[in-house]
Amino acid sequence: MKKDKKMIILFLAPTVLTLFVMYLYPVARTFLMTFFKIGSATSPVSSWDFYGLQNYIGLFQSASFRTSMMNMFLIWLVGGVITLTIALVFAMMLTSGIRFKKFFRAAIYLPNVVSAVALATMWIQYVFNQDYGMLNVIIRSFGGEGVKWLGTDMKFWSMLIAFIFGAVGYYMLIFISGIEKIPQDIYEAATIDGASKIQQATQITIPLLKGVTKTNFTFWTINTATFFLWSKMFSPVDTEASTIVPVIYLYDIVFGSKGNNVRDAGAGAAIGVMLAAIIMIVYVVMNKVLKDDDLEF
């Protein structure tokens, strides 16, 4: 028995050590940093100045941070409703027995295979371009005037549309995996009872997808909280109010930005902790609102 315990400890030791070094220590250090004034992320602990809750207070006093939080909320709420709704509709269509479903599934998921940088570039150069972009070409063909899609007023919504286009296929596949687990006997019985496809979707499919819906909401929240690349692609030179999100704000204050050499790693750590807390809150709320029941498979 003693030899077995030693072998168990021996095998577990590398995993436990890796978990501590790669996860627990960075998380604890980041949380601790939020209470100190720190010039650089690599500054030794001896140079940290205790700052209390001022990092959190200072963030909410910053107009740029409040704007970034509002942008993230709009991406989460508006983008989430549109993305998950379209993904669910596509999933139900592709599991309804339509022809060429494998082709349509691959076509809808294809944007997830393409590099996000390439996808963003395609939208910026070939769809939203004011001179020769596809949208303005269509508008001009009907006698209208080209819209400045990448202007200050429209840039946020243009970025959100492009992001949604690239995200729908991913969430669609998750919904499909949930729908395919629902026994066909239920649908056959509903058909015999005279239920239409819409009634089957609203009274059978959607209620039995609570667990999958919670998963998608959680993943969407994580993707929204870590929204970085698309913002950088649509504002590559300077950080703009129309595209700034908390992760971009974090990057700017930790590593500096154009015209601003002041660095504050403590405030950056506070942003990271706040984003993690938001994800946890959404997860807990989703578990309370979308409770699993005995009918779910």
Side-chain angles (χ1 to χ4, degrees):
M1 291 294 294
K2 291 184 178 180
K3 290 183 178 180
D4 291 341
K5 290 182 179 179
K6 289 181 179 179
M7 288 300 297
I8 293 173
I9 294 173
L10 185 63
F11 279 113
L12 288 178
T15 302
V16 173
L17 183 62
T18 302
L19 177 66
F20 177 81
V21 174
M22 302 297 294
Y23 180 75
L24 296 179
Y25 171 72
V27 169
R29 180 184 173 93
T30 300
F31 180 73
L32 187 63
M33 288 172 64
T34 64
F35 302 105
F36 290 84
K37 184 75 172 178
I38 307 170
S40 173
T42 58
S43 297
V45 177
S46 59
S47 65
W48 295 5
D49 295 323
F50 185 72
Y51 210 42
L53 296 176
Q54 291 304 309
N55 282 324
Y56 295 98
I57 296 172
L59 287 174
F60 285 102
Q61 290 176 343
S62 169
S64 294
F65 180 72
R66 294 197 300 270
T67 300
S68 73
M69 291 293 288
M70 179 56 67
N71 287 344
M72 185 185 72
F73 176 73
L74 289 175
I75 294 171
W76 179 80
L77 180 62
V78 179
V81 170
I82 296 174
T83 301
L84 297 184
T85 300
I86 295 175
L88 179 58
V89 171
F90 280 160
M92 289 189 292
M93 289 174 59
L94 294 178
T95 53
S96 63
I98 65 170
R99 298 177 63 186
F100 309 114
K101 67 178 183 180
K102 291 184 179 180
F103 168 78
F104 288 120
R105 183 182 300 187
I108 296 171
Y109 185 75
L110 183 61
N112 290 270
V113 179
V114 180
S115 166
V117 174
L119 191 63
T121 302
M122 179 195 74
W123 278 90
I124 293 170
Q125 295 296 329
Y126 303 113
V127 179
F128 293 133
N129 188 279
Q130 187 175 1
D131 298 323
Y132 54 82
M134 181 186 70
L135 289 179
N136 280 347
V137 169
I138 294 174
I139 292 173
R140 293 191 184 101
S141 67
F142 286 96
E145 295 184 1
V147 178
K148 196 173 182 180
W149 299 101
L150 299 178
T152 303
D153 296 335
M154 293 294 298
K155 182 174 284 191
F156 173 82
W157 299 109
S158 299
M159 177 183 69
L160 183 57
I161 290 171
F163 180 59
I164 290 172
F165 175 83
V168 166
Y170 175 78
Y171 297 97
M172 177 197 70
L173 287 186
I174 298 177
F175 276 127
I176 288 176
S177 68
I179 294 174
E180 290 179 340
K181 292 180 180 179
I182 301 175
Q184 291 300 311
D185 296 347
I186 298 178
Y187 292 106
E188 293 174 1
T191 302
I192 293 173
D193 290 338
S196 65
K197 291 294 183 181
I198 295 178
Q199 289 175 325
Q200 291 179 28
T202 56
Q203 298 180 26
I204 298 176
T205 305
I206 295 177
L208 295 180
L209 290 177
K210 290 181 180 179
V212 175
T213 302
K214 285 193 296 185
T215 299
N216 273 339
F217 263 114
T218 303
F219 285 171
W220 178 257
T221 303
I222 294 171
N223 288 336
T224 303
T226 57
F227 194 90
F228 180 85
L229 187 144
W230 287 87
S231 180
K232 273 297 181 184
M233 290 299 299
F234 275 77
S235 299
V237 180
D238 294 327
T239 300
E240 301 178 32
S242 58
T243 59
I244 189 173
V245 289
V247 176
I248 293 293
Y249 187 82
L250 183 157
Y251 180 86
D252 287 345
I253 65 174
V254 172
F255 300 103
S257 59
K258 186 177 180 180
N260 179 25
N261 295 323
V262 178
R263 300 183 179 185
D264 192 347
I271 296 174
V273 170
M274 290 172 58
L275 293 177
I278 289 172
I279 293 172
M280 291 300 298
I281 291 171
V282 170
Y283 176 76
V284 171
V285 171
M286 286 297 104
N287 277 332
K288 294 291 184 181
V289 174
L290 299 175
K291 293 182 179 180
D292 295 336
D293 52 43
D294 295 336
L295 294 176
E296 190 167 1
F297 298 92

